[in-house]
Amino acid sequence: MGAGFTRLAAGAGISVLSLGVGMSQAPVAVAAPTNAVSWTNANFHGYATGSEVHLGVLPTSALTLADVEQAFSGATTSSAGLTNPQLSEYKAVVQSAQAGTVKAYGLGSGLEVGLGTQLSTTDQNQIKLAGQATQLAPPNGGTASKQVGPISVPGVVNASLLAGHATALYDPQVCPLGQPISFGTGDAAAAGVLGSGTTSTVSTAGSGTSTAQSSSETYLSSNGDGTFGLSTRASDIIAPVSVNLPGGALSLQIAVQSAGGINDPVSLTAKTTGESTGASLTFSTDDVLQISLVTQSSTTVILRTPLTSIGKGGLHIPLATNALASDLTQLDGAASGVAATLPAPVGSTLSGVLANSSVSSLLSTVGATASQITSQVAVLSLGSIDVDTYPHVIGQAATDAATPVGGTAASGSLDLLHLNLALSGTIAGTPITAVPIADLAVGHLETSANLTAPITCSLPVIKTAKPTAVTAGQTFTYNIDVPDPAKLDLIDCNLDNVSVTDTITDFQGLPTFTVTSATDTATGARGAIDQVSPNKAIVTWTGLKYTVATAGQPPNPPIPLAIGLSVAATSPSGVITDTAVAQATTSSCQGGAVGSTDASAAAGNGAALTGSYTLNAPSVTAAAPAATTPATAAKTLPFTGAMGGFWQPIGGLAALGIGAGGLILVRRARRLN
């Protein structure tokens, strides 16, 4: 650009530069890896999604007759744009296809129900009670929220509250720090789904806005060397869940709580650094899991254990019919009884499937007495419960362990508790054709992060010159703002130990100047002035601080710095250039709309940021030379008949000579006479 300015100035004069030119830069930290790239040039993709409860009724490889996502959330981000939809492991739509300009997307939903959902496509659930809360960026639009409750839709849902919230924040030049890039959360309180009358297939106890909750987010995390990686995180707060098994003869109760009985989240985090090492996949919890089987006459705790004690192999608990109540004559209708608890057309379709299976006919041949039934049903299975705390490869079996790749990729999925409800086994030695009834996951967590190189983030700085054109002998002021007022929403952290080094020199020509003042106009703090030469000066501030505004309040104004300068009266024409370099360390990050306890807040603390801004202004015009006063002309005497000038004395002498000669001749003539 400098060469272009030179040619322009040579052809049209320096005055065309009077408006100045600003350039924003993001210098790489000294300790940063050599392959680090700026946020603008970063290549990344990541997503996270979670469901407090996922239920699929009659699931097949192609479709599910009924799909339920309770307390459902999702968050995605991609430097290339979100043009492709993102599906969960259960084919729930986490993010629909967007324009290529959209780089961040958040989703939150209290409850979604789909009927006849195609799993091989991006077919979305039709019933979104209270609507889905979605937010995309850019442009940045704050938080989207949807809420409803209490609500009752017979056969579908009853709940005291359903809510969803979503945020997204993206700028092509400045990293979002101390808060998520994208975030979604879904809440469901005292919810029951797919019921008939007062009985629900799945119900959640409790009340309030956070009884059952799922949250998903993507965010930047400090690598500790001046660069950042991409992290994604899904977490669930699991309320006590009750699942009514076929016929209502048996229910499964699940509780995931801390020792103190307060709901705490379980979370799965995928972290990348973009470097050769450092990627990780981490499941985090301090909760206790309790599973109970409840019949009409008793409650049996079949498992109570800290989740941290469950090893890589997980737990497999078969559900055999010998755990039913002693009066097993109900089993004659257990297979078809599940249909009665589901809304049409789900129930009628399930009844048809069961009627055409071998289950009903085999059960009817067992005999009329309870003893006969008891002797036969011991080998009849209703499915199994699997508990897992180690993530597996997304879309693969739970035994296919997920492994991070170097520092560039990490992804995995897990179901804290997975109930596979299916009728199978043998009766009187005759195998029963397996009938899948329901697929239920409690605490579904899924995360993925990919980053090709570590990211450098800049501290946004801006400066202006007033005026932008001066004449030699005049004064002007540079104003510097740290951070840039237009970017205050991107860094939700305090900036500590802020230093600003401002270098002023010539961009074109040789204008000369003197720095006369350097002040923080908010606090009065003065900068150190080093007038290196008539063409160069360096101004330095140290120990400054920017305090982020309290969450929910308008942003605090930036640090305002002002530098006064005087252009020498004898200065030649030209253009002055000024580069301000600012450095700071982040602290007390607030997590944006999510809050200070969010993982993105902690990941933004202690980050070292550097940013600069170069301004080519003002233009200087040399002062015009002082007007020259002409010499006083000799006055001319009035003409008196004399020649005047140089010949006047000569003429006089000649006249005297002639007169004298005439007098001599007269005297001679007299003597002769």
Side-chain angles (χ1 to χ4, degrees):
M1 186 171 69
F5 263 13
T6 303
R7 290 193 294 271
L8 186 61
I14 297 299
S15 62
V16 299
L17 302 176
S18 61
L19 294 180
V21 175
M23 298 178 293
S24 215
Q25 303 172 349
V28 176
V30 175
T34 56
N35 66 328
V37 298
S38 68
W39 167 254
T40 302
N41 297 319
N43 181 7
F44 58 86
H45 173 79
Y47 80 92
T49 184
S51 294
E52 189 252 356
V53 171
H54 160 82
L55 173 63
V57 178
L58 290 184
T60 68
S61 59
L63 60 83
T64 182
L65 192 62
D67 175 81
V68 175
E69 304 294 339
Q70 178 175 288
F72 179 53
S73 66
T76 57
T77 185
S78 175
S79 58
L82 299 173
T83 56
N84 295 320
Q86 181 65 61
L87 307 181
S88 76
E89 189 175 50
Y90 288 111
K91 307 303 180 184
V93 179
V94 178
Q95 167 241 305
S96 57
Q98 302 294 318
T101 55
V102 175
K103 306 298 180 73
Y105 184 98
L107 176 150
S109 180
L111 181 71
E112 297 184 3
V113 180
L115 302 177
T117 307
Q118 299 288 328
L119 299 182
S120 59
T121 68
T122 56
D123 192 13
Q124 298 195 44
N125 291 329
Q126 302 96 330
I127 303 172
K128 299 179 177 68
L129 296 171
Q132 265 186 356
T134 60
Q135 189 63 279
L136 52 84
N140 299 323
T143 301
S145 297
K146 297 287 182 69
Q147 181 173 310
V148 67
I151 184 173
S152 179
V153 179
V156 178
V157 64
N158 57 82
S160 64
L161 180 72
L162 300 172
H165 308 280
T167 65
L169 189 66
Y170 198 97
D171 184 277
Q173 302 295 329
V174 179
C175 301
L177 289 178
Q179 59 191 316
I181 303 171
S182 55
F183 174 84
T185 184
D187 295 274
V193 296
L194 296 184
S196 177
T198 59
T199 303
S200 298
T201 301
V202 178
S203 58
T204 302
S207 61
T209 60
S210 60
T211 301
Q213 184 182 85
S214 169
S215 298
S216 300
E217 62 185 313
T218 67
Y219 57 95
L220 293 179
S221 48
S222 175
N223 289 334
D225 57 6
T227 66
F228 294 83
L230 177 69
S231 291
T232 63
R233 180 175 183 264
S235 63
D236 287 336
I237 295 177
I238 302 170
V241 176
S242 179
V243 182
N244 289 321
L245 299 180
L250 179 69
S251 66
L252 185 71
Q253 293 185 351
I254 304 154
V256 179
Q257 294 183 322
S258 68
I262 301 174
N263 289 343
D264 286 334
V266 293
S267 64
L268 181 64
T269 303
K271 182 180 185 298
T272 59
T273 62
E275 301 174 5
S276 58
T277 60
S280 61
L281 194 59
T282 306
F283 176 72
S284 177
T285 184
D286 60 358
D287 288 347
V288 174
L289 171 66
Q290 178 172 304
I291 303 173
S292 303
L293 285 174
V294 180
T295 68
Q296 294 178 344
S297 59
S298 65
T299 298
T300 303
V301 176
I302 61 175
L303 176 68
R304 179 175 176 81
T305 182
L307 289 171
T308 53
S309 68
I310 299 174
K312 284 188 176 182
L315 296 176
H316 178 77
I317 305 169
L319 290 178
T321 53
N322 56 6
L324 292 171
S326 57
D327 185 6
L328 295 178
T329 56
Q330 311 173 63
L331 273 181
D332 210 12
S336 58
V338 68
T341 67
L342 302 176
V346 179
S348 60
T349 304
L350 178 56
S351 296
V353 171
L354 294 174
N356 293 326
S357 72
S358 59
V359 178
S360 297
S361 60
L362 287 172
L363 286 175
S364 64
T365 63
V366 172
T369 67
S371 60
Q372 288 178 306
I373 295 174
T374 304
S375 65
Q376 299 298 329
V377 297
V379 293
L380 183 64
S381 172
L382 294 178
S384 63
I385 299 173
D386 292 284
V387 180
D388 202 0
T389 58
Y390 282 79
H392 59 265
V393 176
I394 296 174
Q396 302 297 319
T399 54
D400 191 0
T403 304
V405 179
T408 60
S411 63
S413 175
L414 68 81
D415 294 322
L416 187 61
L417 183 145
H418 182 242
L419 170 63
N420 176 27
L421 186 59
L423 291 175
S424 63
T426 61
I427 294 182
T430 303
I432 297 175
T433 302
V435 180
I437 297 176
D439 193 22
L440 182 137
V442 176
H444 176 69
L445 303 170
E446 188 174 333
T447 58
S448 175
N450 295 271
L451 176 65
T452 59
I455 299 170
T456 58
C457 291
S458 66
L459 174 60
V461 182
I462 195 169
K463 74 181 310 177
T464 58
K466 185 178 181 180
T468 56
V470 295
T471 300
Q474 294 182 334
T475 62
F476 68 94
T477 302
Y478 282 128
N479 291 298
I480 307 169
D481 287 320
V482 184
D484 181 350
K487 309 294 184 181
L488 291 176
D489 61 333
L490 293 166
I491 302 179
D492 197 34
C493 310
N494 290 344
L495 298 176
D496 299 332
N497 302 316
V498 179
S499 66
V500 178
T501 301
D502 192 81
T503 303
I504 311 165
T505 186
D506 292 339
F507 175 72
Q508 179 146 1
L510 296 171
T512 56
F513 52 84
T514 301
V515 176
T516 58
S517 64
T519 309
D520 178 340
T521 59
T523 65
R526 298 185 179 277
I529 301 172
D530 180 9
Q531 187 74 45
V532 180
S533 71
N535 308 92
K536 183 177 182 180
I538 300 174
V539 180
T540 305
W541 281 271
T542 58
L544 304 177
K545 180 180 179 64
Y546 173 77
T547 302
V548 68
T550 303
Q553 299 299 314
N556 288 332
I559 301 170
L561 305 177
I563 303 174
L565 295 97
S566 175
V567 180
T570 57
S571 173
S573 296
V575 177
I576 300 174
T577 186
D578 187 327
T579 298
V581 178
Q583 294 180 311
T585 303
T586 58
S587 70
S588 302
C589 296
Q590 299 188 122
V594 184
S596 59
T597 59
D598 183 68
S600 65
N605 286 326
L609 303 179
T610 299
S612 72
Y613 194 95
T614 295
L615 179 69
N616 296 325
S619 60
V620 177
T621 301
T628 303
T629 304
T632 304
K635 293 183 179 181
T636 303
L637 294 174
F639 182 70
T640 58
M643 296 176 62
F646 173 73
W647 297 104
Q648 186 171 348
I650 297 177
L653 292 174
L656 289 175
I658 293 172
L663 182 59
I664 293 173
L665 290 175
V666 171
R667 288 179 176 175
R668 278 185 183 177
R670 288 178 177 175
R671 283 198 298 268
L672 289 176
N673 292 329

